[in-house]
Amino acid sequence: MGNIFVIIISSMLVSNVVLSQFLGICPFLGVSKQVSTAVGMGAAVTFVITIASAITWPIYYFLLEPRGLDYLQTIVFILVIAALVQFVEMVLKKFMPSLHASLGVYLPLITTNCAVLGVALNNITNGYNFIESVVCGLFTALGFLLSITILAGIRERIEYNDVPHSFKGTPIVLVTACLMAIAFCGFAGLV
Amino acid sequence: MNGVILAACVIGVLGLLIALLLGFAAIKLAVPVDEKEIAVREYLPGNNCGGCGYAGCDALAKAIAAGEAPVNACPVGGAAVAEKIGAVMGVEGGDAVKMVAFVKCAGTCEKAGIKANYYGVSDCKSAAAIPGRGDKACAYGCLGFGSCVAACQFDALHIKEGVAFVDKEKCVACGKCIQECPNGLIELVPYDAKYAVSCSNKDKGPKVMAVCDTGCIGCGICAKQCEFEAITVENNIAHIDQSKCTGCGKCAAKCPKKVIMAH
């Protein structure tokens, strides 16, 4: 149990997927203009990463490792995750149209997002068991949700500020993200 | 050599399995989409401006196909689009009058007085929030910070000499600017409308004259001139009912303040 708790804290805060591992920067910067869309994106990422963690673990340990094909993990994971997202999108469209309407736009965008792949590979590298992998996936994604929501909140505020011309747009967002990363450094040593 | 073949086999088989699964799922889980909806969506402009009140063109297409929205619900597309959609839906397009936005203020820098220097945030809503509503002596007029310009997705609004000005040709009447203006200066008028009152000041005559050279003083001369009862004066401000206006121009000729302008 203690182990799980350590994974929760470390994956969500200490080694935050965006601010410490620098994975998933693209949606982090691209879809963080409004809190509402940022939360939608974060929810979609959470959804996909959790499922991807659950599906890649057995694939690695039951299919790849026994045959000595560890080196194929990256390409196989990409294939599986991409197909999985497609499949999940179809299922959602059919059985949960309301959820599909709110996540739908973002799901294809994160098909092969590096954060999704990164978590799946990290789970293997860290030697987690199945439960730990899923927990790690879920809380890494919640860490993403947390940081993208905070950034979106800050960006909404920045809109009303008089930003110097040369800093307008992406530069000020990068500076903001940088300061957030420094702030998240405060969690280092927590675990 | 064995490893290469094994790796190729594993990836190949996995890919094949996934392809079969997805292909099967696509057939099994296919959601029937209304053909009409797709056809209607084809004709909608696709700006997703939300001027119709629905969440984008897809949502409107769905509503039209389901019969919940009229075929001329798209203000951007106007009559041309309504006609095409009407053909799809099997009903008459109806005559949707092409509307354009109109700013009810003509208080340019030289005509409207300034009561204070404003150094705040360059945004109409911020300026309107402070006591006295911005730097213009007239508290009803265009603040000139261009919140409507920023809201316009069609490059149809520009600030000219301190007042927002609508480019009739580019305006699609989506109504975004109407929501943005804190002073409620913008309204939709028919594209063909010849005359409109370019003022929104509700104060009495002397007060208006003190702050602006071209403000409506509510004298009512225009209403007396009009043979078609198209003009009413309410709250010290004249208003032209565009459905009755014939564009004769008698009101504009007699207006002492020249507020009624050719549009």
Side-chain angles (χ1 to χ4, degrees):
Chain A
M1 208 44 218
N3 193 17
I4 296 282
F5 186 70
V6 169
I7 290 176
I8 289 174
I9 295 294
S10 76
S11 58
M12 191 167 166
L13 299 173
V14 180
S15 52
N16 184 288
V17 65
V18 187
L19 299 171
S20 167
Q21 299 184 52
F22 302 112
L23 292 173
I25 302 283
C26 176
F28 182 64
L29 298 178
V31 204
S32 56
K33 264 199 162 163
Q34 277 181 353
V35 171
S36 53
T37 50
V39 171
M41 185 69 188
V45 168
T46 309
F47 191 70
V48 171
I49 288 189
T50 312
I51 296 180
S53 305
I55 201 108
T56 50
W57 192 89
I59 285 190
Y60 181 81
Y61 284 105
F62 295 125
L63 182 73
L64 299 181
E65 209 199 16
R67 289 168 184 77
L69 294 170
D70 314 27
Y71 61 91
L72 281 180
Q73 55 175 331
T74 310
I75 189 165
V76 169
F77 284 2
I78 292 176
L79 198 65
V80 171
I81 294 169
L84 179 76
V85 174
Q86 289 288 317
F87 183 69
V88 167
E89 205 193 343
M90 282 186 224
V91 173
L92 285 185
K93 201 169 184 179
K94 178 87 178 173
F95 297 110
M96 285 176 263
S98 56
L99 186 64
H100 180 261
S102 53
L103 292 186
V105 196
Y106 307 111
L107 273 178
L109 284 177
I110 45 173
T111 309
T112 44
N113 183 303
C114 61
V116 182
L117 185 63
V119 173
L121 292 174
N122 267 351
N123 285 338
I124 305 301
T125 317
N126 294 338
Y128 289 153
N129 64 31
F130 182 71
I131 303 287
E132 287 169 340
S133 292
V134 175
V135 170
C136 176
L138 175 63
F139 281 91
T140 305
L142 287 179
F144 179 85
L145 176 66
L146 177 73
S147 42
I148 196 173
T149 312
I150 294 175
L151 181 70
I154 298 174
R155 281 183 76 170
E156 281 190 354
R157 290 287 186 99
I158 287 178
E159 284 285 306
Y160 296 105
N161 288 8
D162 190 15
V163 179
H165 182 71
S166 51
F167 276 93
K168 271 187 182 145
T170 315
I172 192 72
V173 179
L174 286 171
V175 171
T176 313
C178 214
L179 291 174
M180 279 175 67
I182 295 172
F184 266 69
C185 277
F187 289 116
L190 200 63
V191 176
Chain B
M1 196 57 204
N2 251 347
V4 176
I5 295 168
L6 185 63
C9 283
V10 166
I11 298 279
V13 170
L14 200 64
L16 199 68
L17 276 178
I18 287 171
L20 282 174
L21 179 76
L22 282 182
F24 188 66
I27 299 168
K28 206 75 188 160
L29 297 174
V31 179
V33 182
D34 197 346
E35 273 177 33
K36 275 182 182 169
E37 187 183 328
I38 299 169
V40 170
R41 178 65 190 80
E42 287 272 301
Y43 290 122
L44 289 174
N47 293 87
N48 291 317
C49 66
C52 53
Y54 287 88
C57 294
D58 284 341
L60 178 63
K62 203 171 180 182
I64 292 178
E68 289 162 8
V71 289
N72 59 2
C74 178
V76 177
V81 166
E83 203 172 298
K84 284 179 193 158
I85 294 176
V88 173
M89 296 297 294
V91 286
E92 285 292 310
D95 6 303
V97 180
K98 181 173 164 55
M99 305 289 272
V100 288
F102 173 70
V103 182
K104 292 183 284 181
C105 177
T108 51
C109 296
E110 57 177 46
K111 285 179 178 159
I114 297 288
K115 63 169 167 262
N117 286 331
Y118 177 78
Y119 291 106
V121 181
S122 238
D123 173 74
C124 296
K125 279 179 182 161
S126 303
I130 59 167
R133 298 181 86 82
D135 55 356
K136 260 186 193 144
C138 172
Y140 300 92
C142 177
L143 294 153
F145 294 107
S147 287
C148 51
V149 177
C152 184
Q153 293 175 5
F154 304 93
D155 192 34
L157 269 156
H158 297 283
I159 299 292
K160 278 186 190 162
E161 297 172 41
V163 171
F165 181 82
V166 180
D167 184 340
K168 266 169 86 173
E169 304 308 320
K170 286 183 182 166
C171 180
V172 297
C174 70
K176 278 273 166 68
C177 49
I178 297 175
Q179 295 163 14
E180 279 304 304
C181 182
N183 282 354
L185 290 178
I186 307 177
E187 68 172 7
L188 292 180
V189 297
Y191 178 85
D192 303 322
K194 294 223 168 51
Y195 294 94
V197 182
S198 304
C199 181
S200 302
N201 196 318
K202 296 188 181 74
D203 286 337
K204 289 216 164 73
K207 260 181 131 178
V208 179
M209 280 193 262
V211 295
C212 186
D213 292 342
T214 184
C216 176
I217 51 176
C219 61
I221 292 176
C222 50
K224 281 177 200 136
Q225 291 297 320
C226 187
E227 297 163 13
F228 309 97
E229 293 174 349
I231 305 182
T232 47
V233 179
E234 235 177 89
N235 293 327
N236 300 311
I237 186 102
H239 184 261
I240 300 179
D241 184 345
Q242 297 293 356
S243 61
K244 291 179 187 165
C245 177
T246 57
C248 64
K250 280 184 185 163
C251 51
K254 289 280 179 177
C255 179
K257 286 295 175 183
K258 303 289 167 223
V259 196
I260 302 179
M261 293 179 189
H263 172 50

